């Protein structure tokens, strides 16, 4: 496995972590206490080779927003394909909010713990098969989808040690869009068992905490898209819900494990997350047309990139990344990507018909699976 290359920009030499799996490259920026724009600008005239680092860590004590923006503008120009992280004393008071310049802020006091949690994300990004130009463009996106504060509070409730279902239900009821999606998901046949769910409490219990957590993420991100993308937002969210349903149903009918079912459901919810990236591209007024096709369903690479950056499960990221290229259905070796591919086909066949014809275009490691799938429909 290829080592991660990490560039550390600091005022002082030192040892960050002792792990032979990662190669560290230190660069001392002078004797001053703060990093500043003048010190950064001299890089362009230095004799150091320009390398494609996987991660750039910057130890910065700059407390002026303008200086911090200048600093990371220069860093992003020099390391356009790198994940960029700022190490600072107080993460909560970070001035820089431009995602295209800095991707993460890490606490100086607990740096080792924070860094070791970040490295698997960087590893996933390194392993994604992306053209360099597309990787550069994605690393420069300025406005990423973010969750509204009510959704963040609900996520904290769902991950609390002492879960309070009543508080969760009250939060869901306050958001009519979320309530509608929760009831819709709970009424999927694999969950509702023929009984129509109309009560929020029953829907939350039936879905379970994990699937509720996933729904909050996806619905929260989609509803917070720019108003100019309202139509695409509504269509993309509906398809995400439908594909998640089919991924879960197919997995259950084909005897997938509980762990795989949850990953399939999440991959279905997130399969078209690349459409959100396109919406943000529109807001940033960037041109990615030379890097990938904007047609629906062909934003797999941008979607997988941001899922990896956000720290989603590697199997979910892989399934999203492969959905445009996977042709062989193999439930033994590639269960989650295969079930996601089948779920998209079933969702499309529900709208336009022709399931047998669509399945005939695929390759199966077990040809008898085709007859099983026809019966499931």
């Amino acid at each position: 496995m290829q080592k991660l290359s990490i560039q550390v920009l600091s005022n002082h030499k030192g040892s960050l972590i002792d792990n032979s799996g990662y190669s560290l490259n230190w660069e001392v920026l002078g004797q001053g206490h703060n990093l500043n724009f003048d010190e950064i600008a001299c890089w362009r005239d230095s004799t150091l080779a320009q390398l494609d680092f996987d991660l750039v860590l910057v130890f910065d004590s700059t407390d002026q927003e303008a200086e911090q923006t200048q600093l990371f503008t220069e860093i992003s120009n020099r390391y356009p394909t790198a994940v960029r992280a700022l190490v600072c004393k107080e993460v909560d008071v970070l001035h820089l909010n431009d995602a295209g310049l800095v991707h993460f802020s890490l606490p100086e006091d607990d740096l080792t713990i924070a860094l070791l949690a970040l490295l698997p994300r960087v590893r996933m990004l390194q392993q994604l098969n992306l053209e360099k130009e597309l990787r550069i463009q994605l690393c420069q996106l300025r406005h990423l989808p973010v969750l509204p504060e009510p959704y963040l509070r609900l996520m904290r409730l769902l991950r609390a040690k002492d879960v309070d279902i009543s508080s969760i239900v009250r939060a869901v009821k306050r958001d009519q869009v979320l309530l509608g999606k929760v009831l819709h998901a709970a009424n999927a046949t694999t969950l509702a068992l023929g009984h129509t769910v109309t009560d929020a409490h029953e829907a939350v219990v039936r879905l379970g905490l994990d699937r509720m957590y996933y729904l909050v993420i996806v619905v929260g991100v989609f509803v917070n898209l720019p108003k100019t993308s309202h139509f695409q937002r509504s269509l993309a969210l509906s398809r995400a819900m439908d594909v998640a349903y089919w991924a879960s149903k197919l997995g259950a009918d084909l005897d997938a494990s509980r762990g795989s079912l949850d990953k399939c459901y999440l991959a279905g919810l997130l399969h078209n997350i690349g459409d959100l990236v396109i919406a943000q591209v529109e807001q940033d007024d960037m041109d990615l047309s030379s890097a990938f096709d904007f047609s629906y369903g062909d934003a797999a690479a941008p979607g997988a990139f941001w899922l990896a950056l956000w720290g989603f499960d590697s199997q979910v990221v892989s399934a999203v990344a492969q959905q445009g290229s996977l042709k062989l259905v193999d439930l033994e070796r590639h269960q989650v990507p295969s079930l996601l591919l089948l779920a998209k086909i079933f969702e499309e066949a529900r709208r336009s018909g022709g399931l047998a014809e669509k399945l005939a275009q695929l390759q199966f490691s077990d040809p008898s699976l085709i007859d099983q799938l026809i019966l499931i429909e």
Side-chain angles (χ1 to χ4, degrees):
M1 180 181 293
Q2 181 181 355
K3 289 185 177 181
L4 292 178
S5 59
I6 304 175
Q7 170 74 305
V8 180
L9 305 177
S10 173
N11 299 101
H12 307 286
K13 291 182 178 180
S15 177
L16 189 64
I17 56 174
D18 183 15
N19 189 323
S20 59
Y22 304 99
S23 58
L24 298 180
N25 181 28
W26 287 87
E27 182 172 317
V28 181
L29 299 181
Q31 303 302 316
H33 179 66
N34 296 330
L35 299 178
N36 58 57
F37 182 72
D38 292 334
E39 291 170 330
I40 301 299
C42 71
W43 291 349
R44 289 174 294 194
D45 300 322
S46 72
T47 58
L48 292 174
Q50 178 111 4
L51 300 175
D52 292 330
F53 288 98
D54 298 305
L55 172 65
V56 175
L57 288 175
V58 181
F59 289 76
D60 178 36
S61 56
T62 301
D63 58 2
Q64 297 297 319
E65 184 173 3
E67 292 182 11
Q68 202 174 61
T69 300
Q70 285 184 316
L71 171 73
F72 268 90
T73 297
E74 187 67 22
I75 289 174
S76 67
N77 289 337
R78 189 181 184 193
Y79 304 106
T81 63
V83 174
R84 298 178 289 275
L86 174 64
V87 181
C88 49
K89 293 184 180 298
E90 298 182 57
V91 173
D92 291 340
V93 296
L94 179 65
H95 290 297
L96 196 60
N97 293 315
D98 194 327
L101 299 181
V102 58
H103 300 113
F104 297 98
S105 57
L106 306 178
E108 187 174 303
D109 291 341
D110 298 314
L111 178 59
T112 300
I113 294 175
L115 182 59
L116 291 177
L118 175 61
L119 291 179
R121 306 187 188 191
V122 180
R123 171 71 71 192
M124 277 196 289
L125 288 166
Q126 179 200 61
Q127 294 174 344
L128 285 178
N129 184 24
L130 298 176
E131 296 291 337
K132 183 175 180 179
E133 180 60 28
L134 176 57
R135 192 180 292 268
I136 290 174
Q137 295 279 28
L138 292 173
C139 281
Q140 306 299 334
L141 286 180
R142 297 297 178 88
H143 304 97
L144 302 182
V146 295
L147 287 171
E149 181 56 34
Y151 285 74
L152 292 174
R153 287 197 299 269
L154 181 51
M155 289 171 65
R156 288 192 289 269
L157 288 174
L158 288 162
R159 284 293 187 258
K161 291 182 179 180
D162 299 319
V163 177
D164 184 352
I165 297 296
S166 297
S167 297
I168 293 173
V169 171
R170 285 195 296 271
V172 170
K173 286 182 175 180
R174 284 194 290 267
D175 189 306
Q176 292 301 306
V177 174
L178 179 60
L179 175 59
K181 297 304 179 183
V182 168
L183 291 173
H184 174 82
N187 279 301
T189 57
T190 55
L191 298 168
L193 302 176
H195 167 63
T196 301
V197 180
T198 59
D199 176 70
H201 186 278
E202 183 181 358
V204 170
V205 172
R206 180 155 290 170
L207 284 171
L209 298 179
D210 286 339
R211 293 197 177 188
M212 274 296 305
Y213 188 83
Y214 302 153
L215 276 174
V216 170
I217 292 175
V218 174
V219 176
V221 168
F222 271 98
V223 300
N224 205 41
L225 281 179
K227 292 183 179 180
T228 55
S229 299
H230 177 76
F231 176 76
Q232 296 93 324
R233 172 180 66 190
S234 177
L235 176 62
L237 181 54
S238 295
R239 286 185 172 173
M241 298 284 294
D242 290 342
V243 172
Y245 158 73
W246 279 112
S248 179
K249 175 175 172 55
L250 292 172
D253 289 348
L254 297 173
D255 298 323
S257 66
R258 175 65 190 183
S260 292
L261 285 179
D262 285 341
K263 291 174 184 176
C264 290
Y265 185 78
L266 181 56
L269 282 176
L270 298 168
H271 83 278
N272 56 356
I273 200 75
D275 292 339
L276 296 184
V277 178
I278 292 175
Q280 299 308 318
V281 168
E282 294 172 351
Q283 183 172 336
D284 284 357
D285 195 26
M286 296 174 65
D287 181 15
L288 297 189
S289 58
S290 62
F292 70 99
D293 187 351
F294 279 96
S295 60
Y296 173 77
D298 197 25
F305 178 90
W306 284 111
L307 291 180
L309 192 64
W310 289 335
F312 281 90
D313 182 272
S314 59
Q315 290 189 49
V316 173
V317 175
S318 178
V320 172
Q322 295 180 56
Q323 61 183 319
S325 59
L326 185 67
K327 299 301 180 184
L328 175 65
V329 176
D330 187 340
L331 297 182
E332 293 294 328
R333 294 187 299 172
H334 305 292
Q335 189 172 76
V336 178
S338 294
L339 287 171
L340 176 60
L341 173 61
L342 292 173
K344 291 178 63 179
I345 289 177
F346 270 73
E347 189 273 335
E348 183 180 349
R350 180 191 60 81
R351 291 183 287 110
S352 60
L355 176 63
E357 292 79 4
K358 291 177 171 61
L359 292 176
Q361 297 175 10
L362 302 177
Q363 299 177 11
F364 289 81
S365 61
D366 178 7
S368 66
L369 185 61
I370 298 179
D371 293 334
Q372 291 180 252
L373 293 170
I374 296 296
L375 291 175
I376 289 175
E377 186 191 24

